[in-house]
Structure formats: C-alpha cells, structure tokens
C-alpha cells in the first residue's frame, strides 16, 4: 500500500445486532466489541497507523437503558484498569475527547490515571470519544471563545478550542454494520475525510477488515477541493 491514513476514526456500530443474533444481552455485544478494539489496536501498530479514535459513548447514548449504560461504563473502566502494561509495551498514549464530568467517579479516575501514565508514549495515539457529540463540542468551543471576549473569529480560533486540538483531522472514517451515516461524530474535523462503510458488525472487525479498509483508502484520490 502506497498511501496510509495518518488518523483513522472509527464508529463502532453493530454490537447490539451481533448480540441479538446470538440471543445474548446487548452488553455481551459490547464486551465482544472491546475484543475488537484490542484486535484493531494490534493491527494499527502492525500497519504503522499513528492515530486511532474510537466513538465509544455519544452524547445521545444516554437515551439507552440504564443497565446498558452501566455495562458500557464497567467495560471501559475494566479495560483501562487491565491494560497499562500493554499500553506501555506498545507505546500507546490514551486520550479522550468529550465532556466526561457526568461519568462515574471511578471511571474518570481510571481514565485520568492512564492518560497521565501514557502521556509520553508516541507510537500510537488512541483517543476515546466519551460523552462526545460534534455539536456539543462546537457549542463548548464557541462558549470558550466568547469567554475570551473575542469580537470576531477565524476557523483557527474554533479549531484551537475543539476537544480535538491535539489531533490531526481524520483521513479515514470507518463505520461498521452497513449504516451509512455519521451520527454527530467530529462533524467539523471530517469535512475532507474519506468515508468507508463496511457491512461487518463491530465485534467481528479484525486485522483483515482493517487491511481491506486501508486498501480502499489507498485507492481513493483526495483533492481537498482542488484539482489533481
Ligand atoms: C454501537 O453499537 C456501540 C456502542 C454505542 C458502544 C460501544 C462501546 C464499546 C465497544 C465499549 C467501550 C469500551 C472501550 C474499551 C472503549 P450498537 O449498540 O448501537 O449496535 P446496534 O446498532 O446493533 O444496536
């Protein structure tokens, strides 16, 4: 492959349907989804991807049953708790975007601890989108600018105040499960990203699937509004 994305952003969809097909509770689908995250991280390292972002909990996901929400929080907290050695060994830096203040304290503690301890790692930056929504992020950014008493702004001002200010824009967005929509994920940042919608359900995503996505990406011609 000649052209690789620097930053891949992933909308992990299809956990519920994966579980339903097996007559399992929805949280079993999310648990299998965590395994797919682990496989994807290994594959990103193998293919030399520098940034990967996972949409783990959206501002709209609060509409789900309490038991499902708590299940996701538990999976997240356990995942962060169980993997510091792996992050260290592989040089993975863990970050987040989104407004985490409404999350349970034990989850926030675990997240901030792992972010701090992996801060200097730079083989792969893994960002988790948590209580994240593109519109919410824009509103928070604009409010931050207003507080600085600015009368007129440029796009750079907005960019600098987004949660993603430490990230390059995604080159490739993958949404699994055959749904062709973006669901409020990094709406400003993906203005020029390549979009890829494979049919595979997220818990079945693996190295082979990532390789396929990279192949599709390498054949796309990006013009950013210009000519060749
Ligand atoms: C979408 O599938 C999936 C989610 C909203 C949750 C994803 C969360 C995880 C995989 C756990 C987070 C843990 C870590 C370590 C980041 P869906 O439930 O909408 O599937 P459906 O459309 O088939 O119902």
């Amino acid at each position: 492959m000649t052209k690789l994305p620097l930053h891949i952003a992933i909308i992990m969809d299809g956990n519920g349907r994966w579980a339903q097909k097996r007559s399992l509770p929805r949280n079993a689908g999310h648990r299998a989804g965590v395994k797919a995250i682990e496989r994807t991280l290994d594959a990103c390292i193998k293919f030399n991807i520098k940034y990967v972002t996972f949409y783990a909990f959206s501002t709209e996901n609060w509409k789900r049953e309490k038991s499902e929400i708590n299940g996701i929080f538990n999976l997240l907290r356990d995942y962060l708790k169980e993997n510091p050695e792996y992050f260290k060994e592989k040089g993975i830096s863990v970050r987040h975007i989104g407004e985490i203040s409404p999350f349970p304290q034990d989850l926030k503690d675990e997240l901030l601890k792992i972010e701090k301890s992996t801060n200097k790692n730079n083989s792969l930056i893994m960002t988790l989108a948590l209580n994240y929504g593109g519109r919410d992020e824009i509103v928070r950014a604009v409010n931050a600018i207003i507080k600085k008493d600015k009368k007129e702004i440029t796009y750079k001002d907005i960019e600098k105040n987004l949660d993603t200010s430490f990230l390059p824009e995604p080159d490739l967005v993958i949404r699994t499960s055959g749904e062709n929509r973006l669901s409020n994920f990094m709406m400003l940042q993906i203005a020029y990203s390549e979009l890829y919608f494979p049919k595979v359900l997220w818990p079945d995503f693996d190295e082979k699937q990532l390789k396929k996505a990279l192949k599709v990406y390498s054949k796309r011609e990006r013009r950013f509004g210009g000519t060749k």
Side-chain angles (χ1 to χ4, degrees), residues 114-130:
I114 204 77
E115 287 188 339
K116 202 167 166 202
S117 69
T118 63
N119 184 34
K120 296 219 159 54
N121 295 350
N122 61 7
S123 293
L124 172 65
I125 310 296
M126 170 177 69
T127 303
L128 302 176
L130 299 171

Side-chain angles (χ1 to χ4, degrees), residues 168-187:
E169 291 184 344
D171 302 291
L172 172 65
V173 178
I174 301 174
R175 182 182 189 138
T176 55
S177 90
E179 306 286 2
N180 296 1
R181 55 175 177 266
L182 297 167
S183 302
N184 203 12
F185 190 42
M186 294 208 262
M187 297 314 292

Side-chain angles (χ1 to χ4, degrees), residues 2 15 56 84 101 128 141 158 166 168 175 179 190 204 222-223:
T2 49
N15 295 353
S101 64
L128 302 176
I158 296 181
F166 64 94
R175 182 182 189 138
E179 306 286 2
I190 63 176
D204 293 324
R222 303 183 75 190
R223 292 202 296 268

Side-chain angles (χ1 to χ4, degrees), residues 12-17 26 30 33-34 37 56 61 64 68 72 75-76 79 128:
M12 311 179 281
D13 199 7
N15 295 353
R17 276 161 284 169
R26 294 182 60 81
H30 297 317
V34 176
I37 292 175
N61 286 151
R64 296 186 178 214
E68 180 174 353
I72 293 175
L75 283 171
L76 245 169
Y79 174 75
L128 302 176

Side-chain angles (χ1 to χ4, degrees), residues 85-104:
E85 278 310 309
Y86 172 80
F87 299 138
K88 189 174 167 197
E89 185 196 326
K90 302 285 181 181
I92 298 173
S93 175
V94 182
R95 318 266 175 104
H96 80 275
I97 54 174
E99 218 289 283
I100 60 166
S101 64
F103 279 11

